[in-house]
Amino acid sequence: TTGLLTCEAGVLLSDILEVFVPRGWLPAVMPGTKFVTVGGMIASDVHGKNHHHSGTFGRHVDSIELALADGTIRRCSRTENSNIFHATIGGMGLTGVILSANFRLIPIETAYLREETVVAANLDQTMALFEASAEWPYAVAWVDCLAKGLQQGRALVSRAEHLKRADLPARLQETPLAAHRRGGHRVPVDAPPGLLNRISVSLFNKAYYAWGAAHADERVIHYDPFFFPLDRLLEWNRLYGRRGFVQYQCVLPKKESAGGLSALLERISGSGAGSFLTVLKLLGPRGEGLLSFPMEGYTLALDFPIKRGTLELMAELDIITARHGGRVYLAKDARTSREGIRDGYDRLEEFAQLRASAGGKTKLASSMSERLEL
């Protein structure tokens, strides 16, 4: 009745949706997959397609129960152990082990949204559409990262809002709060090496943009394919072959976004290391966690197959991001350096000092914390 949920940190978002969507409740913020835990969402301070409206997941967390490295268990909130609370939100698990969380859900009348897709011919139009969509609760764009010249940054911009029961089509009136179905198609084998190359990705991007332009319209869509499109294809990472892939995600301050995004896209298209999954979003104000990723501006996320030159390209993207006052997303990073994040995260020292004082002499560490000297 209140929308206030207390659960163990290991509970999956998918399970929460199965239980509470039929009861008329939805988590206020969700990342791009439902196969994540509550603890992971807090530690990464995840954002969704509605950050410009609702902020990060951490904004909706009222309190957590945290086991420090020395075994001490503390309740943390904005009024109780608040310094540890704000270090844990987005803290990548380095302050302690989250045992449970208390957070707020939002009420919904249906499990469906009204989605409108609009075609943007270039980066200027794409950004203008985001600015014009400020009143829409959700907004996201797929970008053709290989388009050049006057077509650079062309995109399919999708914006959506929750549907009330009275606005549902007749065929959905009997089951307005249907949760997602389990299962889905599964990629059976690893793709052969080189399947995702400049030519194949370029052809896919051109075809997908043309298809999107031909079908751009308004439609009623269930929450599952809207929020979690990749979850319908289980083990989709196998499409990248046995060598796998690496993701690059950065955010640029709003005043630097136009120039920064153009520079990033130019370098990516020039490298030939195209991504068929390139996502652009407009973020709102920065998160309250010491290491929270979002800032007011644009975030760009891309997936690159691991091959010769990939890591060198990402190091160059780091330089462009830093030059424009941005930062990379720690939750999706596996290769940047201490120097690569030092300027982007202005509260690193505060985080390090708090981590040093919490939990006594024992400290939690990870390969990331050692690589970044956190």
Side-chain angles (χ1 to χ4, degrees):
T1 57
T2 65
L4 195 60
L5 172 62
T6 299
C7 67
E8 294 179 350
V11 172
L12 286 171
L13 174 58
S14 58
D15 293 335
I16 292 173
L17 293 168
E18 283 187 29
V19 172
F20 289 101
V21 166
R23 290 168 167 78
W25 296 97
L26 193 73
V29 173
M30 294 181 288
T33 174
K34 58 182 175 289
F35 302 126
V36 292
T37 64
V38 169
M41 289 195 289
I42 296 172
S44 302
D45 198 18
V46 296
H47 58 278
K49 298 175 175 68
N50 60 342
H51 185 270
H52 60 295
H53 262 234
S54 302
T56 64
F57 185 77
R59 174 179 170 183
H60 304 273
V61 175
D62 281 5
S63 64
I64 58 175
E65 188 181 41
L66 187 72
L68 302 180
D70 63 359
T72 304
I73 297 177
R74 294 189 187 179
R75 176 183 168 86
C76 305
S77 68
R78 290 172 181 81
T79 58
E80 188 176 0
N81 295 310
S82 62
N83 56 344
I84 301 178
F85 179 79
H86 289 106
T88 302
I89 293 177
M92 300 304 296
L94 296 175
T95 58
V97 178
I98 302 171
L99 302 178
S100 65
N102 192 303
F103 59 96
R104 286 165 278 130
L105 309 176
I106 59 172
I108 54 173
E109 287 189 22
T110 77
Y112 298 89
L113 300 99
R114 178 172 71 91
E115 180 189 33
E116 180 180 272
T117 300
V118 186
V119 179
N122 52 48
L123 183 59
D124 287 343
Q125 287 189 20
T126 300
M127 296 179 70
L129 274 170
F130 271 109
E131 300 296 336
S133 305
E135 297 304 314
W136 289 77
Y138 304 97
V140 64
W142 170 88
V143 178
D144 181 357
C145 69
L146 291 178
K148 297 182 178 181
L150 297 178
Q151 293 182 325
Q152 183 192 67
R154 65 179 183 176
L156 303 173
V157 181
S158 298
R159 45 200 189 182
E161 61 183 359
H162 291 286
L163 273 176
K164 296 186 179 299
R165 182 165 184 171
D167 298 323
L168 281 183
R171 60 185 173 84
L172 300 176
Q173 287 286 345
E174 291 186 7
T175 56
L177 289 168
H180 61 274
R181 296 178 180 176
R182 291 194 178 195
H185 299 292
R186 188 179 302 272
V187 178
V189 296
D190 295 324
L195 176 65
L196 297 179
N197 54 52
R198 182 185 181 91
I199 295 175
S200 63
V201 173
S202 178
L203 290 173
F204 171 86
N205 284 4
K206 289 178 180 178
Y208 189 77
Y209 181 80
W211 180 88
H215 294 84
D217 203 354
E218 184 178 298
R219 63 171 178 165
V220 174
I221 184 171
H222 189 261
Y223 74 81
D224 194 51
F226 178 76
F227 290 119
F228 319 115
L230 286 177
D231 285 355
R232 291 180 292 172
L233 188 61
L234 302 177
E235 297 184 30
W236 57 267
N237 54 292
R238 302 185 77 174
L239 293 173
Y240 290 91
R242 296 194 67 180
R243 299 182 74 180
F245 74 97
V246 63
Q247 186 163 80
Y248 189 85
Q249 183 165 4
C250 65
V251 60
L252 303 169
K254 209 168 187 180
K255 65 179 181 179
E256 294 281 344
S257 289
L261 289 172
S262 179
L264 289 167
L265 291 172
E266 182 176 354
R267 183 65 194 92
I268 292 165
S269 62
S271 72
S275 166
F276 72 89
L277 185 64
T278 303
V279 176
L280 182 69
K281 290 181 288 194
L282 176 60
L283 301 183
R286 66 182 295 166
E288 58 184 303
L290 300 186
L291 297 187
S292 290
F293 167 72
M295 66 169 70
E296 191 167 11
Y298 285 83
T299 178
L300 183 70
L302 311 100
D303 291 347
F304 296 112
I306 291 290
K307 60 182 180 180
R308 183 178 299 174
T310 297
L311 298 182
E312 289 78 7
L313 169 64
M314 298 180 78
E316 294 181 44
L317 300 183
D318 282 348
I319 294 173
I320 296 172
T321 296
R323 185 185 303 148
H324 291 274
R327 55 178 172 241
V328 297
Y329 191 12
L330 297 181
K332 295 182 179 179
D333 172 62
R335 27 64 49 194
T336 196
S337 64
R338 165 77 176 187
E339 291 70 27
I341 68 162
R342 183 175 53 205
D343 294 333
Y345 287 89
D346 56 1
R347 303 184 75 178
L348 272 177
E349 294 306 319
E350 184 181 352
F351 177 83
Q353 291 172 11
L354 189 142
R355 181 168 170 254
S357 64
K361 295 182 179 180
T362 307
K363 299 291 176 291
L364 292 175
S366 66
S367 58
M368 186 200 74
S369 72
E370 293 171 352
R371 170 170 50 86
L372 299 179
E373 301 176 22
L374 295 179

